[in-house]
Structures are given as structure tokens and as C-alpha cells.
Amino acid sequence: MKKRVYLVGFVALLCLSACGAKEKSVATPPVTETSTEASSQSATGAIDFQKLAEAQPLTIQTKKEQAKLYSATNGVVKTVGLGDSAEEEVSYRLYQVPEVWQLDHVNQETRPTDYTYRALEGGLTFGVQLYTLDAYLTSPLSGGEVMKKDELAQRLKADGQHFIQETSISIGDQEWKVGYEEKPENNVAKITFYRLEDTGNFDDSLIVGAVIYPLSVTKSNHEEAVTTTVSQLKTILQQVAGERETETIKP
């Protein structure tokens, strides 16, 4: 089972930008979990969660090639051909990568399903995650169904999400859930968008995107920079929740 815990691993990175340090090459510390509970109180200068969740998608300016986010497999392997020529058919979603985002890490088991970026905006640096998880707890070939509401809540907790605020918003014509968590002792917050697909296809996915950012900084453009990054992520989420394309790969 994959598990992602975001907040602590980006503290040093965010502090560099929040304190106005000159940009330099630094290694992102390993993402580690802390036992400290996220506070229900927002730090002074924190951006209003609802306002941030409702930020409008923003046209992405980029010269980069589109990236591929592969769908979840839900334990199903679809093959094309026979014998030595057999290949696995997989689906993926294309999305644009903003020019100011730098790829930090790709978790690639058999195909890329988990990306981590450093987003540079207004002299600040943010962490951005984009990934897919299985929509089924049990393979659909074994009679499994897409997760129910309570099962989804447990899956998100197992994935390291501990929201202190939640809401629902629309991106285009699709409904997305949004969760918020923070660690005031580290001056770090995270806003997470997620959508559980339920189209009846074996490659339905739980799509997750998140932005990790400093709760409060002295720069006057803090809110604008965070909002811009969230708006770009929402554009990407609209793209990856759209039509899926397929290709074949060697198993």
C-alpha cells in the first residue's frame, strides 16, 4: 500500500523561500512523518481555506512537452497479443507542466503514477504532488466495487491525509473534494484536491493533487503566489480527469 506524508519533508525547502534566501541547489529532505497533531487553529497570516479552494483554474504558460499520468490498475492487467509478442495495454492522462515547475521526483514502479514538483512562483517555492491510487479496494475481476464514502475516508487516512477542514468544489463540470491540513509549529500547510472516478472501467482512479506551502511569510505576494500555484494545479486536475488515452508496454 502506498502512503504519502507531505508536510514535514518540505519544511526546509519552504523555509528557504519564505525567508527570502537566494535560490541555490539544495536537496529536498526525505519526507518523514511526525507524530504531532495538526492544529485546528490557523497561524496569523494564513490564507483562507475556502477562498483558496475556490481559486479559478489558470491558463498554463509552458513550452514543455505534456506529461503522462498513468491510471490506476486496480489489480487488473489487460494484455494485447499472444506469447512473446504480448503487451500490456494501459491508460494515461496527458497534462501540461507549468514552465516554472521543476520535476523533483517520480515514483515509477511499472509506469509513472506519482509526481512531485517544486513550483516556483513570486520568489517563493512550493511543493506539488500529483498521483493516482486504486479506486477499488478489491479487484473488479473479483467482484470488487469502487470505494464507498467511508472506505474512501479510511483510504485517505492510510495515505497520510489528516484534514482539519474539508469542502467540495467544482472544476469545470466535475465535483472535487478538498481537504486542508497544517502544522503551525513548522509554518507549513497543505491543500489537497481529490476525485474518485466511478465510470465502471477497471482503470478508474482516485486522482489526488496537493500544494504544500508556508502558512505565513513576510512577503506581500504570499497569497497571490499560493493562489496562482493552486490555480495551475486545478487546470491540471481538469486535464487528467478528462479523456483517457491508451498505449501498450512490455510487461
Side-chain angles (χ1 to χ4, degrees):
M1 176 181 293
K2 298 178 182 177
K3 184 176 181 180
R4 297 158 175 83
V5 183
Y6 303 105
L7 296 183
V8 179
F10 285 94
V11 170
L13 174 64
L14 294 176
C15 284
L16 282 174
S17 60
C19 297
K22 289 184 179 180
E23 184 177 341
K24 59 182 178 179
S25 177
V26 294
T28 303
V31 178
T32 56
E33 186 172 9
T34 178
S35 60
T36 305
E37 292 286 329
S39 170
S40 61
Q41 300 298 318
S42 296
T44 301
I47 303 169
D48 180 75
F49 163 62
Q50 190 68 37
K51 180 179 180 181
L52 192 58
E54 294 176 355
Q56 293 300 304
L58 183 67
T59 300
I60 293 175
Q61 305 295 332
T62 185
K63 295 179 182 178
K64 297 179 180 179
E65 292 185 1
Q66 288 182 298
K68 293 180 181 179
L69 178 68
Y70 285 83
S71 304
T73 64
N74 296 294
V76 178
V77 177
K78 183 178 180 180
T79 57
V80 177
L82 299 172
D84 293 338
S85 63
E87 293 185 312
E88 182 180 354
E89 183 178 283
V90 296
S91 71
Y92 60 88
R93 304 111 187 288
L94 290 170
Y95 66 95
Q96 295 174 298
V97 180
E99 196 70 31
V100 294
W101 288 20
Q102 300 175 357
L103 183 61
D104 191 68
H105 176 71
V106 180
N107 180 18
Q108 183 169 347
E109 295 176 350
T110 56
R111 62 192 67 87
T113 58
D114 185 344
Y115 293 87
T116 302
Y117 292 94
R118 294 187 188 191
L120 309 175
E121 190 65 46
L124 297 170
T125 304
F126 311 110
V128 181
Q129 266 83 26
L130 178 66
Y131 60 93
T132 57
L133 295 171
D134 285 348
Y136 297 77
L137 293 179
T138 303
S139 169
L141 295 182
S142 302
E145 298 180 348
V146 169
M147 287 183 283
K148 303 296 189 294
K149 185 177 180 179
D150 58 337
E151 294 172 329
L152 175 59
Q154 290 301 313
R155 182 67 185 89
L156 290 168
K157 288 182 180 180
D159 189 49
Q161 317 291 350
H162 301 285
F163 302 137
I164 58 174
Q165 293 187 62
E166 297 185 67
T167 190
S168 297
I169 53 101
S170 294
I171 304 178
D173 59 354
Q174 298 170 336
E175 181 182 7
W176 287 76
K177 303 294 185 182
V178 192
Y180 173 78
E181 53 191 298
E182 62 183 40
K183 291 194 178 296
E185 69 277 14
N186 292 324
N187 194 33
V188 178
K190 180 179 73 166
I191 185 168
T192 300
F193 298 83
Y194 62 95
R195 182 172 185 270
L196 182 65
E197 296 178 322
D198 188 6
T199 67
N201 293 320
F202 77 88
D203 59 349
D204 279 344
S205 305
L206 171 58
I207 305 173
V208 185
V211 175
I212 304 95
Y213 59 95
L215 270 171
S216 180
V217 296
T218 57
K219 287 194 173 187
S220 60
N221 66 337
H222 174 222
E223 181 171 340
E224 179 183 358
V226 177
T227 301
T228 296
T229 303
V230 169
S231 293
Q232 291 173 329
L233 174 61
K234 292 178 79 170
T235 299
I236 291 171
L237 295 177
Q238 189 170 7
Q239 293 171 352
V240 298
E243 185 176 350
R244 308 168 207 179
E245 302 188 34
T246 61
E247 65 181 17
T248 56
I249 60 174
K250 279 294 184 181

